[in-house]
Short mmCIF file of all heavy atoms in Angstrom, two decimals:
data_model
loop_
_atom_site.label_atom_id
_atom_site.label_comp_id
_atom_site.label_asym_id
_atom_site.label_seq_id
_atom_site.Cartn_x
_atom_site.Cartn_y
_atom_site.Cartn_z
N VAL F 155 98.80 114.06 97.47
CA VAL F 155 97.66 113.35 96.88
C VAL F 155 98.19 112.05 96.30
O VAL F 155 99.05 112.06 95.40
CB VAL F 155 96.96 114.19 95.80
CG1 VAL F 155 95.83 113.37 95.15
CG2 VAL F 155 96.40 115.47 96.40
N TYR F 156 97.71 110.95 96.85
CA TYR F 156 98.15 109.63 96.38
C TYR F 156 97.08 109.04 95.47
O TYR F 156 95.92 108.93 95.84
CB TYR F 156 98.40 108.69 97.56
CG TYR F 156 98.56 107.26 97.11
CD1 TYR F 156 99.67 106.89 96.35
CD2 TYR F 156 97.60 106.30 97.38
CE1 TYR F 156 99.81 105.59 95.88
CE2 TYR F 156 97.74 105.00 96.92
CZ TYR F 156 98.84 104.65 96.17
OH TYR F 156 98.97 103.37 95.69
N THR F 157 97.50 108.63 94.28
CA THR F 157 96.59 108.04 93.30
C THR F 157 96.53 106.54 93.50
O THR F 157 97.47 105.81 93.17
CB THR F 157 97.06 108.35 91.87
OG1 THR F 157 97.26 109.75 91.72
CG2 THR F 157 96.01 107.88 90.86
N SER F 158 95.42 106.08 94.03
CA SER F 158 95.16 104.65 94.18
C SER F 158 94.36 104.19 92.95
O SER F 158 94.59 104.67 91.85
CB SER F 158 94.42 104.38 95.48
OG SER F 158 94.23 103.00 95.70
N THR F 159 93.42 103.31 93.13
CA THR F 159 92.61 102.80 92.03
C THR F 159 91.27 102.32 92.56
O THR F 159 91.17 101.93 93.74
CB THR F 159 93.31 101.63 91.31
OG1 THR F 159 92.40 101.01 90.40
CG2 THR F 159 93.77 100.57 92.29
N VAL F 160 90.28 102.33 91.71
CA VAL F 160 88.97 101.80 92.11
C VAL F 160 89.07 100.30 92.40
O VAL F 160 88.21 99.75 93.10
CB VAL F 160 87.92 102.07 91.02
CG1 VAL F 160 88.12 101.14 89.83
CG2 VAL F 160 86.50 101.94 91.56
N GLY F 161 90.13 99.66 91.92
CA GLY F 161 90.33 98.25 92.21
C GLY F 161 90.50 97.97 93.69
O GLY F 161 90.34 96.83 94.13
N CYS F 162 90.83 98.99 94.47
CA CYS F 162 90.99 98.83 95.93
C CYS F 162 89.69 99.10 96.68
O CYS F 162 89.67 99.05 97.91
CB CYS F 162 92.08 99.78 96.45
SG CYS F 162 93.72 99.41 95.80
N ILE F 163 88.64 99.42 95.97
CA ILE F 163 87.33 99.68 96.57
C ILE F 163 86.52 98.39 96.61
O ILE F 163 86.55 97.60 95.68
CB ILE F 163 86.57 100.75 95.76
CG1 ILE F 163 87.33 102.09 95.79
CG2 ILE F 163 85.14 100.93 96.26
CD1 ILE F 163 87.38 102.75 97.14
N GLY F 164 85.77 98.18 97.68
CA GLY F 164 84.90 97.03 97.75
C GLY F 164 83.72 97.18 96.80
O GLY F 164 83.06 98.21 96.79
N ILE F 165 83.49 96.18 95.97
CA ILE F 165 82.38 96.18 95.02
C ILE F 165 81.46 95.02 95.37
O ILE F 165 81.84 93.86 95.19
CB ILE F 165 82.86 96.04 93.56
CG1 ILE F 165 83.96 97.06 93.23
CG2 ILE F 165 81.68 96.17 92.60
CD1 ILE F 165 83.51 98.49 93.14
N PRO F 166 80.26 95.28 95.87
CA PRO F 166 79.35 94.17 96.16
C PRO F 166 78.91 93.48 94.88
O PRO F 166 78.83 94.11 93.82
CB PRO F 166 78.17 94.86 96.87
CG PRO F 166 78.20 96.27 96.37
CD PRO F 166 79.65 96.59 96.15
N ARG F 167 78.63 92.19 94.96
CA ARG F 167 78.19 91.45 93.79
C ARG F 167 76.90 92.05 93.24
O ARG F 167 75.94 92.27 93.97
CB ARG F 167 77.99 89.98 94.13
CG ARG F 167 77.63 89.11 92.92
CD ARG F 167 77.61 87.64 93.30
NE ARG F 167 78.96 87.18 93.66
CZ ARG F 167 79.87 86.79 92.78
NH1 ARG F 167 79.60 86.84 91.47
NH2 ARG F 167 81.05 86.37 93.16
N ASN F 168 76.93 92.36 91.94
CA ASN F 168 75.78 92.97 91.27
C ASN F 168 75.36 94.29 91.91
O ASN F 168 74.19 94.67 91.88
CB ASN F 168 74.58 92.00 91.26
CG ASN F 168 74.89 90.72 90.53
OD1 ASN F 168 75.55 90.73 89.50
ND2 ASN F 168 74.44 89.59 91.07
N GLY F 169 76.34 95.00 92.48
CA GLY F 169 76.05 96.28 93.13
C GLY F 169 77.04 97.35 92.72
O GLY F 169 77.83 97.18 91.79
N VAL F 170 76.99 98.46 93.45
CA VAL F 170 77.83 99.61 93.18
C VAL F 170 78.69 99.87 94.41
O VAL F 170 78.18 99.98 95.53
CB VAL F 170 76.98 100.86 92.84
CG1 VAL F 170 77.87 102.08 92.66
CG2 VAL F 170 76.15 100.60 91.59
N GLY F 171 80.01 99.99 94.21
CA GLY F 171 80.92 100.18 95.32
C GLY F 171 81.07 101.63 95.71
O GLY F 171 80.86 102.54 94.92
N ASP F 172 81.46 101.83 96.97
CA ASP F 172 81.82 103.17 97.45
C ASP F 172 82.93 103.04 98.48
O ASP F 172 83.41 101.93 98.77
CB ASP F 172 80.61 103.92 98.02
CG ASP F 172 79.99 103.22 99.23
OD1 ASP F 172 80.71 102.49 99.95
OD2 ASP F 172 78.78 103.41 99.46
N GLU F 173 83.37 104.18 99.02
CA GLU F 173 84.53 104.20 99.91
C GLU F 173 84.29 103.46 101.22
O GLU F 173 85.26 103.09 101.91
CB GLU F 173 84.92 105.65 100.21
CG GLU F 173 85.42 106.44 99.01
CD GLU F 173 84.31 107.08 98.19
OE1 GLU F 173 83.12 106.77 98.45
OE2 GLU F 173 84.63 107.91 97.32
N ASP F 174 83.04 103.23 101.60
CA ASP F 174 82.74 102.58 102.87
C ASP F 174 82.49 101.08 102.74
O ASP F 174 82.28 100.40 103.75
CB ASP F 174 81.50 103.23 103.51
CG ASP F 174 81.74 104.70 103.87
OD1 ASP F 174 82.87 105.02 104.26
OD2 ASP F 174 80.80 105.51 103.73
N GLN F 175 82.51 100.56 101.53
CA GLN F 175 82.26 99.13 101.33
C GLN F 175 83.43 98.31 101.86
O GLN F 175 84.58 98.57 101.52
CB GLN F 175 82.07 98.85 99.83
CG GLN F 175 81.74 97.42 99.49
CD GLN F 175 80.35 97.01 99.92
OE1 GLN F 175 79.46 97.86 100.00
NE2 GLN F 175 80.16 95.74 100.18
N PRO F 176 83.19 97.33 102.73
CA PRO F 176 84.29 96.52 103.28
C PRO F 176 85.07 95.82 102.17
O PRO F 176 84.50 95.34 101.18
CB PRO F 176 83.57 95.50 104.17
CG PRO F 176 82.25 96.12 104.49
CD PRO F 176 81.88 96.93 103.28
N VAL F 177 86.37 95.73 102.36
CA VAL F 177 87.23 95.08 101.36
C VAL F 177 88.51 94.63 102.06
O VAL F 177 88.92 95.21 103.07
CB VAL F 177 87.54 96.06 100.20
CG1 VAL F 177 88.43 97.20 100.66
CG2 VAL F 177 88.16 95.34 99.02
N SER F 178 89.14 93.59 101.53
CA SER F 178 90.36 93.07 102.13
C SER F 178 91.33 92.64 101.04
O SER F 178 90.97 92.57 99.85
CB SER F 178 90.05 91.87 103.04
OG SER F 178 89.59 90.77 102.26
N LEU F 179 92.55 92.32 101.44
CA LEU F 179 93.56 91.87 100.48
C LEU F 179 93.10 90.61 99.76
O LEU F 179 93.40 90.42 98.58
CB LEU F 179 94.89 91.61 101.21
CG LEU F 179 96.08 91.19 100.34
CD1 LEU F 179 96.42 92.26 99.31
CD2 LEU F 179 97.29 90.88 101.22
N GLU F 180 92.34 89.76 100.45
CA GLU F 180 91.86 88.52 99.83
C GLU F 180 90.91 88.80 98.67
O GLU F 180 90.70 87.93 97.81
CB GLU F 180 91.16 87.65 100.88
CG GLU F 180 92.11 87.01 101.89
CD GLU F 180 92.74 88.01 102.83
OE1 GLU F 180 92.05 89.01 103.18
OE2 GLU F 180 93.91 87.82 103.21
N ASP F 181 90.31 89.98 98.63
CA ASP F 181 89.40 90.34 97.53
C ASP F 181 90.14 90.78 96.27
O ASP F 181 89.53 90.93 95.21
CB ASP F 181 88.45 91.46 97.97
CG ASP F 181 87.55 91.05 99.11
OD1 ASP F 181 86.96 89.96 99.02
OD2 ASP F 181 87.45 91.81 100.09
N MET F 182 91.43 91.03 96.39
CA MET F 182 92.20 91.55 95.28
C MET F 182 92.66 90.43 94.36
O MET F 182 93.29 89.47 94.81
CB MET F 182 93.44 92.33 95.79
CG MET F 182 93.12 93.49 96.72
SD MET F 182 92.25 94.84 95.88
CE MET F 182 90.64 94.71 96.65
N LYS F 183 92.36 90.53 93.06
CA LYS F 183 92.75 89.54 92.08
C LYS F 183 93.98 90.01 91.31
O LYS F 183 93.93 91.04 90.64
CB LYS F 183 91.61 89.28 91.09
CG LYS F 183 90.29 88.87 91.73
CD LYS F 183 90.41 87.55 92.47
CE LYS F 183 89.05 87.13 93.03
NZ LYS F 183 89.15 85.91 93.84
N GLY F 184 95.07 89.27 91.41
CA GLY F 184 96.25 89.59 90.63
C GLY F 184 97.24 90.49 91.34
O GLY F 184 96.91 91.20 92.30
N ALA F 185 98.46 90.48 90.83
CA ALA F 185 99.55 91.24 91.46
C ALA F 185 99.32 92.74 91.41
O ALA F 185 99.68 93.45 92.35
CB ALA F 185 100.88 90.88 90.79
N TYR F 186 98.74 93.24 90.31
CA TYR F 186 98.53 94.69 90.23
C TYR F 186 97.60 95.16 91.33
O TYR F 186 97.92 96.09 92.09
CB TYR F 186 97.98 95.09 88.86
CG TYR F 186 97.58 96.56 88.83
CD1 TYR F 186 98.55 97.56 88.88
CD2 TYR F 186 96.24 96.94 88.81
CE1 TYR F 186 98.19 98.90 88.89
CE2 TYR F 186 95.88 98.28 88.82
CZ TYR F 186 96.86 99.25 88.87
OH TYR F 186 96.50 100.58 88.90
N LYS F 187 96.43 94.53 91.45
CA LYS F 187 95.48 94.97 92.47
C LYS F 187 96.04 94.77 93.88
O LYS F 187 95.88 95.63 94.73
CB LYS F 187 94.16 94.21 92.32
CG LYS F 187 93.20 94.79 91.31
CD LYS F 187 91.82 94.20 91.49
CE LYS F 187 90.81 94.84 90.57
NZ LYS F 187 89.45 94.33 90.80
N ARG F 188 96.70 93.65 94.11
CA ARG F 188 97.26 93.41 95.45
C ARG F 188 98.32 94.44 95.78
O ARG F 188 98.37 94.96 96.90
CB ARG F 188 97.82 91.99 95.53
CG ARG F 188 96.75 90.91 95.61
CD ARG F 188 97.34 89.58 96.05
NE ARG F 188 98.21 89.02 95.03
CZ ARG F 188 97.81 88.21 94.07
NH1 ARG F 188 96.53 87.87 93.98
NH2 ARG F 188 98.67 87.74 93.19
N SER F 189 99.16 94.76 94.81
CA SER F 189 100.22 95.74 95.09
C SER F 189 99.63 97.13 95.34
O SER F 189 100.10 97.85 96.23
CB SER F 189 101.23 95.78 93.93
OG SER F 189 100.65 96.31 92.75
N LYS F 190 98.60 97.49 94.60
CA LYS F 190 97.98 98.80 94.82
C LYS F 190 97.22 98.83 96.15
O LYS F 190 97.17 99.87 96.83
CB LYS F 190 97.05 99.14 93.66
CG LYS F 190 97.78 99.47 92.36
CD LYS F 190 98.60 100.74 92.47
CE LYS F 190 97.76 101.99 92.49
NZ LYS F 190 98.56 103.24 92.52
N PHE F 191 96.61 97.73 96.53
CA PHE F 191 95.93 97.67 97.82
C PHE F 191 96.94 97.86 98.96
O PHE F 191 96.70 98.63 99.89
CB PHE F 191 95.22 96.32 97.97
CG PHE F 191 94.42 96.20 99.24
CD1 PHE F 191 93.11 96.64 99.30
CD2 PHE F 191 94.98 95.63 100.37
CE1 PHE F 191 92.37 96.52 100.47
CE2 PHE F 191 94.26 95.51 101.55
CZ PHE F 191 92.95 95.96 101.60
N LEU F 192 98.08 97.16 98.87
CA LEU F 192 99.10 97.30 99.90
C LEU F 192 99.70 98.71 99.89
O LEU F 192 100.02 99.27 100.96
CB LEU F 192 100.20 96.25 99.69
CG LEU F 192 99.75 94.80 99.92
CD1 LEU F 192 100.86 93.83 99.49
CD2 LEU F 192 99.40 94.58 101.39
N ALA F 193 99.84 99.30 98.72
CA ALA F 193 100.36 100.68 98.63
C ALA F 193 99.39 101.65 99.29
O ALA F 193 99.80 102.61 99.95
CB ALA F 193 100.59 101.06 97.18
N GLU F 194 98.09 101.42 99.09
CA GLU F 194 97.09 102.28 99.74
C GLU F 194 97.17 102.17 101.26
O GLU F 194 97.01 103.16 101.99
CB GLU F 194 95.70 101.92 99.25
CG GLU F 194 94.64 102.93 99.68
CD GLU F 194 93.27 102.59 99.14
OE1 GLU F 194 92.95 103.01 98.00
OE2 GLU F 194 92.51 101.89 99.86
N ARG F 195 97.44 100.94 101.75
CA ARG F 195 97.64 100.76 103.20
C ARG F 195 98.84 101.57 103.68
O ARG F 195 98.81 102.15 104.77
CB ARG F 195 97.87 99.29 103.53
CG ARG F 195 96.74 98.34 103.22
CD ARG F 195 95.46 98.65 103.94
NE ARG F 195 94.52 99.35 103.09
CZ ARG F 195 93.34 99.79 103.45
NH1 ARG F 195 92.94 99.62 104.69
NH2 ARG F 195 92.55 100.42 102.61
N VAL F 196 99.90 101.60 102.88
CA VAL F 196 101.08 102.41 103.23
C VAL F 196 100.70 103.88 103.33
O VAL F 196 101.08 104.58 104.27
CB VAL F 196 102.21 102.20 102.19
CG1 VAL F 196 103.33 103.22 102.40
CG2 VAL F 196 102.75 100.78 102.27
N ALA F 197 99.92 104.37 102.36
CA ALA F 197 99.49 105.77 102.38
C ALA F 197 98.66 106.07 103.62
O ALA F 197 98.83 107.13 104.26
CB ALA F 197 98.70 106.10 101.12
N LEU F 198 97.79 105.17 104.00
CA LEU F 198 96.97 105.37 105.19
C LEU F 198 97.82 105.35 106.46
O LEU F 198 97.54 106.09 107.42
CB LEU F 198 95.87 104.30 105.26
CG LEU F 198 94.76 104.44 104.21
CD1 LEU F 198 93.88 103.20 104.20
CD2 LEU F 198 93.93 105.70 104.47
N GLU F 199 98.85 104.51 106.48
CA GLU F 199 99.76 104.48 107.62
C GLU F 199 100.48 105.82 107.78
O GLU F 199 100.60 106.35 108.90
CB GLU F 199 100.78 103.36 107.45
CG GLU F 199 100.21 101.96 107.58
CD GLU F 199 101.20 100.90 107.14
OE1 GLU F 199 102.38 101.24 106.90
OE2 GLU F 199 100.79 99.72 107.01
N PHE F 200 100.96 106.38 106.69
CA PHE F 200 101.63 107.68 106.75
C PHE F 200 100.65 108.76 107.20
O PHE F 200 101.00 109.66 107.97
CB PHE F 200 102.24 108.04 105.40
CG PHE F 200 103.63 107.51 105.21
CD1 PHE F 200 103.86 106.23 104.73
CD2 PHE F 200 104.74 108.30 105.51
CE1 PHE F 200 105.13 105.73 104.55
CE2 PHE F 200 106.03 107.83 105.34
CZ PHE F 200 106.23 106.53 104.86
N ALA F 201 99.41 108.70 106.72
CA ALA F 201 98.40 109.68 107.13
C ALA F 201 98.13 109.57 108.62
O ALA F 201 97.99 110.60 109.31
CB ALA F 201 97.11 109.47 106.34
N ALA F 202 98.07 108.35 109.15
CA ALA F 202 97.84 108.15 110.57
C ALA F 202 98.98 108.70 111.41
O ALA F 202 98.77 109.10 112.57
CB ALA F 202 97.63 106.67 110.87
N ARG F 203 100.18 108.74 110.84
CA ARG F 203 101.33 109.28 111.56
C ARG F 203 101.49 110.78 111.38
O ARG F 203 102.45 111.36 111.87
CB ARG F 203 102.61 108.56 111.11
CG ARG F 203 102.60 107.06 111.39
CD ARG F 203 104.01 106.51 111.49
NE ARG F 203 104.76 106.67 110.27
CZ ARG F 203 104.90 105.72 109.34
NH1 ARG F 203 104.27 104.55 109.48
NH2 ARG F 203 105.63 105.92 108.26
N GLY F 204 100.56 111.41 110.65
CA GLY F 204 100.57 112.86 110.56
C GLY F 204 100.92 113.47 109.23
O GLY F 204 100.82 114.69 109.06
N LEU F 205 101.34 112.66 108.23
CA LEU F 205 101.60 113.22 106.91
C LEU F 205 100.26 113.51 106.25
O LEU F 205 99.38 112.65 106.20
CB LEU F 205 102.39 112.23 106.06
CG LEU F 205 102.86 112.75 104.69
CD1 LEU F 205 103.89 113.85 104.85
CD2 LEU F 205 103.44 111.60 103.86
N PRO F 206 100.04 114.73 105.75
CA PRO F 206 98.73 115.08 105.17
C PRO F 206 98.52 114.44 103.79
O PRO F 206 98.68 115.08 102.75
CB PRO F 206 98.78 116.61 105.08
CG PRO F 206 100.24 116.94 104.98
CD PRO F 206 100.96 115.88 105.77
N VAL F 207 98.15 113.16 103.80
CA VAL F 207 97.94 112.40 102.56
C VAL F 207 96.45 112.26 102.30
O VAL F 207 95.70 111.81 103.16
CB VAL F 207 98.56 110.99 102.67
CG1 VAL F 207 98.37 110.23 101.35
CG2 VAL F 207 100.03 111.07 103.03
N VAL F 208 96.02 112.64 101.09
CA VAL F 208 94.66 112.42 100.62
C VAL F 208 94.73 111.39 99.50
O VAL F 208 95.60 111.47 98.63
CB VAL F 208 94.02 113.72 100.11
CG1 VAL F 208 92.59 113.46 99.61
CG2 VAL F 208 94.02 114.78 101.19
N ILE F 209 93.82 110.43 99.52
CA ILE F 209 93.84 109.34 98.54
C ILE F 209 92.70 109.53 97.55
O ILE F 209 91.56 109.79 97.94
CB ILE F 209 93.69 107.97 99.24
CG1 ILE F 209 94.89 107.75 100.17
CG2 ILE F 209 93.58 106.84 98.22
CD1 ILE F 209 94.72 106.56 101.10
N VAL F 210 93.01 109.41 96.27
CA VAL F 210 91.97 109.40 95.24
C VAL F 210 91.99 108.02 94.56
O VAL F 210 93.05 107.42 94.38
CB VAL F 210 92.15 110.51 94.20
CG1 VAL F 210 91.93 111.87 94.84
CG2 VAL F 210 93.52 110.46 93.53
N ASN F 211 90.81 107.55 94.21
CA ASN F 211 90.65 106.24 93.57
C ASN F 211 89.98 106.42 92.21
O ASN F 211 88.76 106.30 92.09
CB ASN F 211 89.80 105.32 94.45
CG ASN F 211 90.42 105.04 95.80
OD1 ASN F 211 90.36 105.87 96.70
ND2 ASN F 211 91.03 103.88 95.95
N PRO F 212 90.75 106.74 91.18
CA PRO F 212 90.15 106.85 89.84
C PRO F 212 89.57 105.51 89.39
O PRO F 212 90.07 104.44 89.78
CB PRO F 212 91.32 107.27 88.95
CG PRO F 212 92.36 107.81 89.90
CD PRO F 212 92.19 107.02 91.15
N THR F 213 88.55 105.58 88.56
CA THR F 213 87.95 104.36 88.04
C THR F 213 88.72 103.93 86.79
O THR F 213 89.83 103.45 86.89
CB THR F 213 86.45 104.57 87.80
OG1 THR F 213 86.24 105.71 86.94
CG2 THR F 213 85.72 104.80 89.11
N ALA F 214 88.15 104.08 85.61
CA ALA F 214 88.83 103.72 84.36
C ALA F 214 88.92 104.97 83.49
O ALA F 214 88.01 105.26 82.71
CB ALA F 214 88.07 102.61 83.63
N PRO F 215 90.00 105.74 83.61
CA PRO F 215 90.12 106.99 82.84
C PRO F 215 90.32 106.72 81.35
O PRO F 215 91.05 105.80 80.96
CB PRO F 215 91.37 107.66 83.44
CG PRO F 215 91.61 106.95 84.75
CD PRO F 215 91.11 105.56 84.54
N VAL F 216 89.68 107.54 80.53
CA VAL F 216 89.86 107.45 79.09
C VAL F 216 90.07 108.86 78.54
O VAL F 216 89.64 109.84 79.13
CB VAL F 216 88.64 106.80 78.39
CG1 VAL F 216 88.54 105.33 78.76
CG2 VAL F 216 87.35 107.52 78.73
#
Side-chain angles (χ1 to χ4, degrees):
V155 176
Y156 168 67
T157 308
S158 184
T159 170
V160 74
C162 296
I163 297 293
I165 309 289
R167 184 173 294 277
N168 299 320
V170 176
D172 62 27
E173 295 86 350
D174 296 324
Q175 182 71 28
V177 68
S178 67
L179 182 61
E180 288 69 34
D181 297 312
M182 302 293 111
K183 305 297 183 184
Y186 172 70
K187 276 194 175 184
R188 286 195 292 269
S189 68
K190 289 295 287 183
F191 183 87
L192 293 172
E194 190 177 273
R195 297 300 100 183
V196 170
L198 289 170
E199 290 169 9
F200 273 86
R203 298 204 299 263
L205 186 67
V207 182
V208 179
I209 298 169
V210 293
N211 298 78
T213 55
V216 292

